Amino acid sequence: MTTEAYIYDAIRTPRGIGKPGKGSLFEVKPIDLVTNLLEAMKTRNDLDTAQVDDVIIATGDPVNEQGSNLAKTAINYSSWDAVTTGAQIHRYCAGALDAVNVSAAKVMAGMEDLVCGGGVESLSRVGMGASGGAITDPAVQMKSLFISQGLGADLMASLDGFTREDVDRYALMSQVRAAHARDNGYFKSLVPVVDFNGVTILDHDELIRETSIESLASLKPSFKMFNDFGHGDVARLRYPQIEEIDNIHTPGNSSGIVDGAGLVLLGNKAAGDAQGLKPRARIVSFATTGSEPTIMLAGPVPATQKALKKAGMTMNDIDLVELNEAFASVVLRFQRELNVEDERINVNGGAIAMGHPIGATGAMILGVLLDELERRDLRTGLCTLCAAGGIGIATIIERV
């Protein structure tokens, strides 16, 4: 018999524009983003950190300032007790939610009592793709029929019949919702980033901007160059029925490049009671799955179906969904295949409006989901992401 894994807290930094010298978090090292959250988690919960068994942190590019074991290094750098250990994991965009799921699994197995899971990404300091790896090897790319992820989003839209108007409509909705949520104080999980003197560096999501359907329509496609330079030919080897890929994704309907971190505290009931903690939700089920690697963005649907099956639930049992807005077509496919209306998904906007700090996003959107379930007094939520290489991940939570 498994032990229940409860969520006691979920916090995140603001998302800062992830370009060197342009965003407010460019001056902040990844370890300081993590340490900010460790200190906030300790303070918010009057936490005896000696009772936390492990901290698991994901990054999308675990090299340079994000390399080695950033989790344990951050613990030693912070005011946390050194008895807490740390681990760093890597599952591309799915990393932070996977860190949460692994933390929950440790609790459910009865092997650990309190665990933190989350992630960090400083795209302004480390940069996307900095870790390289076998995925960059042309021989590997050719055998796996790898193409640019953005062109994969365009390919998905072409296969599904989504138009530029469809993806821009969704993008506008994300921006409007995010601005409304920010202006009305819905992001309760947001913790300002401060320097070593306690001076606030950033206290809001930096990428949210006013826009219109006309301004979105004026933006040029971002991934046409990949189509023209051979990736389109590779895609047609996998999908010969597609004569031409319609390049419809732009900076306006794709996820923004940002810096940020997220952290979730999980544990069993006895450990929570001993710390005076009140559980906010429990982990119902979680799942990962592989998906077709050329598009590589189709994983949320099968991962969700797998998590629902393990929970003995259907999509009708889910009150709210947080699906990472890697590209607008990813959300549109999910909505069509699982019959999810606009009113249930990404109700406070998403990565199109606020950005996608690769290794951190899963923990961030789990906190957004929990905040909104509480605000609306709803019960069940689903958090899901796609990830590079053809990975899907999903987690179902229930308020308690």
Side-chain angles (χ1 to χ4, degrees), residues 245-257:
I245 299 173
D246 191 7
N247 300 118
I248 63 173
H249 286 90
T250 71
N253 54 45
S254 306
S255 55
I257 296 172

Side-chain angles (χ1 to χ4, degrees), residues 323-343:
L323 165 58
N324 182 41
E325 296 172 351
F327 303 92
S329 62
V330 174
V331 186
L332 296 181
R333 170 177 278 202
F334 184 92
Q335 288 186 266
R336 175 182 289 180
E337 293 199 13
L338 295 182
N339 193 28
V340 179
E341 60 277 14
D342 287 347
E343 290 72 25

Side-chain angles (χ1 to χ4, degrees), residues 231-285:
H231 283 215
D233 295 328
V234 173
R236 281 184 286 274
L237 291 175
R238 180 84 71 182
Y239 295 98
Q241 69 270 35
I242 295 291
E243 293 185 9
E244 291 294 334
I245 299 173
D246 191 7
N247 300 118
I248 63 173
H249 286 90
T250 71
N253 54 45
S254 306
S255 55
I257 296 172
V258 294
D259 305 330
L263 193 65
V264 180
L265 175 64
L266 304 103
N268 60 39
K269 189 174 187 305
D273 288 347
Q275 292 276 319
L277 301 173
K278 182 180 178 181
R280 297 173 62 187
R282 71 179 184 95
I283 302 291
V284 177
S285 70

Side-chain angles (χ1 to χ4, degrees), residues 52 60 64 80 129 133 151 179 188-189 194 208 224 230 272 280 338 362 378 399:
V52 181
N64 302 326
W80 277 45
L151 188 60
K188 301 297 184 185
S189 58
V194 299
I208 300 173
K224 188 176 185 304
R280 297 173 62 187
L338 295 182
L378 297 175
R399 284 182 59 215

Side-chain angles (χ1 to χ4, degrees), residues 157-192:
S158 295
L159 288 166
D160 290 352
F162 298 129
T163 66
R164 174 68 182 270
E165 291 74 21
D166 292 330
V167 292
D168 281 350
R169 175 203 67 82
Y170 181 83
L172 179 61
M173 184 171 66
S174 180
Q175 288 284 357
V176 170
R177 287 176 163 182
H180 178 80
R182 175 201 59 197
D183 294 345
N184 287 275
Y186 292 172
F187 297 132
K188 301 297 184 185
S189 58
L190 190 149
V191 173

Side-chain angles (χ1 to χ4, degrees), residues 18 66 78 89 98 108 128 130 189 198 234 237 246 267 274 304 334 369:
Q66 292 180 171
S78 74
I89 66 171
D98 199 37
M108 289 173 166
M128 193 179 301
S189 58
V234 173
L237 291 175
D246 191 7
T304 293
F334 184 92
L369 175 63

